[in-house]
Amino acid sequence: MLPKYKRILLKLSGESLMGNKSFGLDPQIIAQYAVDIKQVVELGVQVAIVIGGGNIYRGMNEAETGIERAHGDYMGMLATVINGMALQAALEKVGVFTRLQSAIVMERIAEPYIRRRAIRHLEKGRVVIFGAGTGNPYFTTDTAGSLRAIEIKADVILKGTRVDGIYTADPELDPTALRYDKISFAEVINKNLKVMDMTAFTLCKENGLPIIVFDMNTPGTLLQVVEGMDVGTFVS
Ligand code: UDP
């Protein structure tokens, strides 16, 4: 089957990497993600990835930690680099070529983020993992995902979560909640649905970058999304 998209930006949350644990990394989940990503690379799809850090550190709770927001945010960005390195190792183990690019210079372990270089890697079939978010405090990795997706001219941003799309209400709390197949940017705003934070969402909306929210934890779903099958929720 021919893929529907040529170049994708996959956004993975840090929390999803925990699997059933309450902190850190679940090697089984990461191995599954690596296999799923390999399947789409083998279809000829160019894959860039932005990964979160919430499984290790989130900078937002100044009241709780006593660490000021900006400082904590930098700690959060470092957490995303740890996750990026873990995913890189898992991908290479299954034979996928990768490059890790960091928004904060760490020359021993990652290339610096250079847009043109990232595009070149993608053209050569390497998976590019963007670590350290945007490199700036007061942002999220969702915003890093939208920003990088636009910069590299990705066809779509794929937000991999634990639920299989956007619902009328939180499906983990409300059993009558219904999933949207498709929804417009305006409707998401009017209905106050949680897809991404506003900064990230607005970037997508203003640049006409569609978002697909889908379940990354069911093996094979990423492939179905890339083949254009009717899974997840398509926002445009
Ligand atoms: N962060 C940041 N700037 C960025 C991206 C991330 O300051 O551009 C920090 C922020 O503290 C955030 C943490 O890194 O809480 C982890 O990222 P995020 O919460 O987006 O991860 P996820 O929710 O996807 O696990």
Side-chain angles (χ1 to χ4, degrees), residues 11 13-15 52-54 58-60 73 76-77 134 136-137 139-141:
K11 165 70 207 326
S13 81
E15 263 171 26
R58 252 182 232 287
M60 316 227 170
D73 278 345
M77 286 183 256
T134 63
N136 301 293
F139 287 96
T140 62
T141 51

Side-chain angles (χ1 to χ4, degrees), residues 93-170:
K93 206 165 189 176
V94 294
V96 176
F97 295 105
T98 65
R99 291 290 187 275
L100 176 62
Q101 290 202 343
S102 174
I104 296 174
V105 175
M106 291 185 210
E107 59 186 16
R108 296 285 181 281
I109 51 177
E111 293 180 358
Y113 171 63
I114 298 171
R115 178 180 157 271
R116 284 169 180 277
R117 199 161 175 189
I119 291 171
R120 190 82 193 105
H121 289 320
L122 292 170
E123 287 168 351
K124 287 185 176 168
R126 298 172 187 142
V127 170
V128 180
I129 303 168
F130 296 118
T134 63
N136 301 293
Y138 300 98
F139 287 96
T140 62
T141 51
D142 276 351
T143 302
S146 310
L147 176 64
R148 295 291 184 247
I150 295 161
E151 286 189 86
I152 63 166
K153 300 193 172 73
D155 302 318
V156 63
I157 177 164
L158 305 181
K159 187 170 155 92
T161 67
R162 288 178 297 183
V163 277
D164 62 350
I166 302 169
Y167 280 75
T168 49
D170 185 343

